[in-house]
Amino acid sequence: VCYVNSSAAVKAESDIACTSSNAVEVVKSLKEKEVIFVPDKNLGRYVQSQVPEKKIILWDGFCPTHIRVQEEDVLKAKELHKDAEVIAHPECHPSVLALSDHICSTGGMFTYVKQSRSKEFIISTESGMLYKLQKDNPDKKFYLPTQNLVCANMKLITLGWVAHSLENLVYEVKVSDDV
């Protein structure tokens, strides 16, 4: 099982790809009792905690953004914002997940916050999430456990660059036939 953000070459070697929102269901659906999970060991550990009947063989990779959320950051944020719920992405370290009130994918965060009666949230994922969360929930407050949660790769993709690519037909993605 590979995470959807993996390269096309990794996906070609995998039996199935998953997202953070469906990883648990994907692994549960497999008839095999042992599953190699790539590339994110933290997401794989989370899946293992939800699917104990399977043996998950973890790849030693991680998300360079989510790994920056440290247990001490969450503890400090909880001290500063005592009424805030902690929501964490499953790619965070298990010690961060253990301190969280809710664990879900980025899409799951939007749904959860909108339905929650809580008015304050500590969000353990990429900082860009806060803009849409605040826009969709103007009556609620959002905090990051650390200011270091910027994904440089995500910031490379902008509407301007997408428009430029489409208007000028540049940056075509080519995948070899064997992949």
Side-chain angles (χ1 to χ4, degrees):
V1 177
C2 74
Y3 187 51
V4 71
N5 289 355
S6 301
S7 69
V10 170
K11 288 178 187 152
E13 296 298 325
S14 300
D15 294 306
I16 194 166
C18 69
T19 66
S20 57
S21 64
N22 72 5
V24 170
E25 289 78 20
V26 166
V27 170
K28 278 183 180 177
S29 76
L30 301 173
K31 66 180 187 307
E32 292 81 6
K33 294 294 180 193
E34 289 188 342
V35 176
I36 299 171
F37 194 95
V38 300
D40 193 287
K41 63 185 175 185
N42 291 325
L43 180 57
R45 283 184 187 128
Y46 175 73
V47 170
Q48 178 71 83
S49 75
Q50 303 300 301
V51 190
E53 65 275 13
K54 305 271 186 178
K55 178 182 179 189
I56 308 292
I57 301 162
L58 301 173
W59 189 260
D60 197 25
F62 55 86
C63 170
T65 302
H66 289 108
I67 201 75
R68 291 189 206 125
V69 182
Q70 300 294 308
E71 180 179 356
E72 55 270 13
D73 297 326
V74 176
L75 289 170
K76 284 179 191 172
K78 285 176 77 159
E79 185 63 31
L80 288 171
H81 310 287
K82 294 186 186 319
D83 295 330
E85 274 192 73
V86 178
I87 304 175
H89 192 281
E91 290 179 27
C92 292
H93 191 273
S95 64
V96 170
L97 300 183
L99 294 170
S100 301
D101 298 301
H102 191 71
I103 301 164
C104 56
S105 66
T106 51
M109 289 182 187
F110 294 122
T111 303
Y112 181 80
V113 165
K114 189 173 248 5
Q115 295 172 351
S116 176
R117 289 191 167 128
S118 294
K119 293 294 184 187
E120 294 183 65
F121 301 88
I122 298 165
I123 305 293
S124 297
T125 196
E126 210 276 336
S127 63
M129 286 280 295
L130 269 61
Y131 174 79
K132 182 166 174 43
L133 284 168
Q134 190 66 68
K135 184 178 177 203
D136 292 351
N137 304 277
D139 59 324
K140 298 181 180 183
K141 293 183 179 179
F142 302 94
Y143 314 101
L144 292 171
T146 176
Q147 296 304 308
N148 299 325
L149 297 178
V150 177
C151 176
N153 291 324
M154 287 175 66
K155 299 304 181 216
L156 293 174
I157 302 167
T158 66
L159 287 177
W161 280 115
V162 171
H164 171 77
S165 176
L166 293 171
E167 291 166 354
N168 297 289
L169 297 177
V170 294
Y171 310 121
E172 180 181 357
V173 175
K174 296 180 181 183
V175 179
S176 64
D177 289 341
D178 61 318
V179 170

